[in-house]
Amino acid sequence: MKIKTSELSGVYGPTSKFPTETLPEIAFAGRSNVGKSSLINSLLNRKNLARTSSSPGKTVTINFYNVNEEFFLVDLPGYGYAKTSLAERAKWGKMIEKYLGTRDSLKALVLLIDIRHAPTKDDVMMFNWVVENGLTPIIVATKLDKIKRSQKDKQLKLLRDTLGIKNDIKIVPYSSETKQGREELLDILSLFL
């Protein structure tokens, strides 16, 4: 898949109605500070389309990006940010659940997990929710450039074992810095479109 155009199409909060357009959607979810905005910018070949920040938890809305006038890439709020109030986290959780549970146009969910660490309880819970609700998760192990090459297989095994991932679920090691994994991820996404 070649990315020709990409633009922010809409920003939706807890009380917003989602768009009624029927383009296919691929959602991106992950913990706060997993590098979701950086990955989206890298994937779409844009520098600042998705806003990045040095402090986690900046994406508090559901952002729709129109890609090639063919599909929406949907950026969900990060989960698990400890410095956010329980009430705020619950509100984000309901918004994410509402989105995931009501979008007929949702074709796949990309779940981002930091390759440097074992998946958290929140990661496991999100992975299980996605699978139980009939979606095919695509796991992206972010921040690949932050570990030694010799650690990659060990960290991927830890990720697979912690989540209980079967062999039919793809894991893509990814670096937003070097764009390693970009073409593989684009190829996988094109299969869902």
Side-chain angles (χ1 to χ4, degrees), residues 29-36 77-81 109-131 137-142 158-160 162-165:
R31 279 180 51 81
S32 295
N33 207 28
V34 75
K36 195 158 38 72
Y79 55 80
Y81 184 45
L109 182 121
V110 179
L111 180 58
L112 282 62
I113 298 177
D114 190 330
I115 196 169
R116 300 173 299 175
H117 313 291
T120 65
K121 287 180 187 174
D122 289 330
D123 291 326
V124 173
M125 191 166 59
M126 177 61 97
F127 174 79
N128 289 335
W129 190 93
V130 169
V131 170
I138 302 156
I139 308 297
V140 174
T142 61
L158 175 64
L159 198 154
R160 193 172 282 284
T162 304
L163 293 177
I165 295 176

Side-chain angles (χ1 to χ4, degrees), residues 53-148:
S53 170
S54 58
S55 57
K58 287 297 177 193
T59 304
V60 296
T61 53
I62 295 178
N63 302 326
F64 281 68
Y65 298 96
N66 187 315
V67 181
N68 295 342
E69 300 289 327
E70 295 171 359
F71 71 97
F72 287 115
L73 187 155
V74 182
D75 183 7
L76 301 175
Y79 55 80
Y81 184 45
K83 291 187 180 176
T84 305
S85 71
L86 286 173
E88 190 71 16
R89 280 187 274 168
K91 184 168 71 174
W92 293 350
K94 285 181 183 163
M95 187 168 55
I96 292 169
E97 195 169 328
K98 174 184 166 193
Y99 169 80
L100 293 175
T102 62
R103 299 301 289 175
D104 292 335
S105 48
L106 180 63
K107 301 301 177 195
L109 182 121
V110 179
L111 180 58
L112 282 62
I113 298 177
D114 190 330
I115 196 169
R116 300 173 299 175
H117 313 291
T120 65
K121 287 180 187 174
D122 289 330
D123 291 326
V124 173
M125 191 166 59
M126 177 61 97
F127 174 79
N128 289 335
W129 190 93
V130 169
V131 170
E132 288 164 10
N133 282 277
L135 289 169
T136 302
I138 302 156
I139 308 297
V140 174
T142 61
K143 305 192 180 188
L144 179 61
D145 54 288
K146 307 284 190 218
I147 64 169
K148 294 177 182 164

Side-chain angles (χ1 to χ4, degrees), residues 12 17-23 25 64 72 103 105:
Y12 302 88
K17 285 192 170 26
F18 296 127
T20 55
E21 292 130 76
T22 57
L23 289 177
E25 296 169 16
F64 281 68
F72 287 115
R103 299 301 289 175
S105 48

Side-chain angles (χ1 to χ4, degrees), residues 179-190:
K179 296 192 179 178
Q180 185 176 346
R182 181 178 183 270
E183 293 306 317
E184 182 182 2
L185 182 55
L186 286 172
D187 288 346
I188 292 168
L189 297 183
S190 68

Side-chain angles (χ1 to χ4, degrees), residues 115 141 144 147-158 173-174 180 184:
I115 196 169
L144 179 61
I147 64 169
K148 294 177 182 164
R149 197 174 293 170
S150 61
Q151 295 176 296
K152 181 176 129 183
D153 289 341
K154 183 184 112 187
Q155 291 305 110
L156 289 173
K157 182 179 182 336
L158 175 64
Y174 197 100
Q180 185 176 346
E184 182 182 2

